[in-house]
Amino acid sequence: MQDALFPDDEPPERPQAKPGRPASKKPVAKAKAGGPKVNPLAPVPAHLELAAALPELARLGTSSWTYPGWNGLVWDGDYSDSQLSKYGLAAYAQHPLFRTVSLDRAFYRPLTAAQYAAYAAQVSDDFRFVIKAPALVTDATVRTETGRAMQANPAFLSPELAVQEFALPALQGLGPKLGALVFQISPLPTALHSRMPELLQRLAAMLQALPSLADDAPDAVIAVEVRDPLWLTPEFAAVLRASKATYCLGLHAKMPPIEGQLPLLRALWPGPLVCRWNLHRMHGAYGYEDAEKLYMPYDKLVDEDLETRTTLARVINATAKAGHHAYVTMSNKAEGCSPLSVAALAAEIQSQRAA
């Protein structure tokens, strides 16, 4: 099984489909009274073909959807950030390649069941949400709005808050449209680096306190993403396995490249895949601001990472072939434009399946 998921031989190079902007933009049509306030771009034939060729269990998407620069890629015209925040999800979900999205705003403040239900009402029954747990639970440090550390967080890895402020509201609001609950553990203060056995015990207690998802959200997965390589140990894998959780493949400059994280997935194989491709590895540990300056308005691929894309496609195909769900979301800061990254990843998945 492991050989099928992580083969040593590289697939032969093939032409990459590069679907992009249509040759010409349609004039922006004003929304009709009572109609949608954000209109999706008409489906591109190449995207329809790629979507039809994807494994049924593989869901691709982006991190959030509030980007005016996606005009001509996802939207049919120029919309403001606020318009897209309020009304863009329904249009986003009509893109043929987008069957999931990472709802990152939950990291900054817990959402209510009613807020989750409002999101669920905007998408089809086939759509699934990847939700980030609030920093209230996953950050060992209490921070200011600018991210500056203030003090130790007494609620870090709290089972009670993980259930009441995250798992239950998401489950109640999204129901079967819940795809993954992701606990992204923020970088640890240096003082905690020597206390990993204690942290693993606390993580296990939190994960094991979570409610069962099987009845109300049968496709849902619980996953843990980390931002410190020191988590990547057999003991961490054992905690995940015993808690019926999985590892969220976090492609981020703070972490080893994808090849360095695959051993942990091997330890949990076979099982579902959750991957969040957050930041191109060239930007270093604190590269979000640099990536933002280079890539805005996020309307084209700037720094393609063919190696990561090829390996990730292989893992997605193997996961789906083994009968498990694969949830993969991509940030604009991964390659410059997440809709085009999704399309390029879908093309690589299709190419490998054809081979």
Side-chain angles (χ1 to χ4, degrees), residues 101-289:
V101 73
S102 182
L103 189 57
D104 293 349
R105 66 170 291 202
F107 178 77
Y108 302 100
R109 181 176 297 176
L111 302 183
T112 66
Q115 288 174 306
Y116 284 121
Y119 285 126
Q122 299 177 57
V123 301
S124 70
D125 290 343
D126 181 60
F127 195 90
R128 299 290 181 270
F129 289 88
V130 173
I131 313 295
K132 284 179 63 174
L136 172 70
V137 175
T138 61
D139 195 338
T141 302
V142 177
R143 303 180 189 275
T144 65
E145 290 185 358
T146 61
R148 183 175 60 85
M150 294 176 57
Q151 62 191 45
N153 178 14
F156 181 47
L157 300 179
S158 163
E160 295 78 15
L161 291 178
V163 172
Q164 297 299 326
E165 299 292 336
F166 180 49
L168 283 182
L171 188 59
Q172 293 166 359
L174 297 176
K177 295 178 183 178
L178 175 60
L181 296 174
V182 177
F183 292 86
Q184 180 215 293
I185 300 178
S186 299
L188 296 172
T190 304
L192 291 182
H193 288 187
S194 61
R195 296 168 57 185
M196 289 307 297
E198 174 192 339
L199 295 183
L200 287 170
Q201 290 180 352
R202 292 169 62 182
L203 176 64
M206 183 193 72
L207 293 174
Q208 292 166 15
L210 299 175
S212 171
L213 307 179
D215 292 335
D216 296 321
D219 296 341
V221 179
I222 295 170
V224 179
E225 179 182 351
V226 297
R227 292 289 171 85
D228 294 284
L230 55 87
W231 285 96
L232 304 183
T233 63
E235 292 77 15
F236 178 49
V239 165
L240 296 177
R241 190 183 308 106
S243 305
K244 298 181 180 179
T246 193
Y247 174 62
C248 176
L249 188 61
L251 303 182
H252 188 282
K254 289 181 181 291
M255 295 296 292
I258 186 170
E259 295 84 359
Q261 299 184 55
L262 293 186
L264 194 60
L265 289 184
R266 287 193 186 99
L268 298 170
W269 177 258
L273 172 69
V274 181
C275 174
R276 299 176 64 251
W277 190 348
N278 299 289
L279 183 66
H280 196 289
R281 54 189 170 181
M282 66 174 279
H283 290 298
Y286 300 94
Y288 274 108
E289 292 184 1

Side-chain angles (χ1 to χ4, degrees), residues 1-9 266 269 311 313-319 321-322 352:
M1 275 298 182
Q2 292 180 4
D3 289 341
L5 180 55
F6 306 101
D8 292 329
D9 54 314
R266 287 193 186 99
W269 177 258
T311 303
R314 188 185 306 141
V315 178
I316 293 168
N317 276 327
T319 300
K321 186 176 181 180
Q352 293 185 15

Side-chain angles (χ1 to χ4, degrees), residues 251-254 277-285 287-288 291 294-295 302-306 308 331-336:
L251 303 182
H252 188 282
K254 289 181 181 291
W277 190 348
N278 299 289
L279 183 66
H280 196 289
R281 54 189 170 181
M282 66 174 279
H283 290 298
Y288 274 108
L294 284 171
Y295 298 158
V302 180
D303 293 309
E304 296 191 64
D305 188 343
L306 301 181
T308 297
S331 166
N332 284 319
K333 298 177 180 68
E335 296 182 301

Side-chain angles (χ1 to χ4, degrees), residues 16-83:
Q16 294 290 315
K18 294 184 179 290
R21 292 178 178 270
S24 60
K25 294 182 183 179
K26 295 180 180 179
V28 178
K30 293 183 179 179
K32 297 179 180 179
K37 295 180 175 63
V38 174
N39 294 301
L41 187 74
V44 177
H47 292 171
L48 293 170
E49 294 173 6
L50 288 173
L54 285 175
E56 179 65 23
L57 293 175
R59 285 185 166 84
L60 309 182
T62 70
S63 293
S64 190
W65 59 85
T66 58
Y67 302 103
W70 292 358
N71 176 20
L73 295 169
V74 181
W75 327 121
D76 74 339
D78 291 314
Y79 298 100
S80 67
D81 295 44
S82 60
Q83 282 178 297

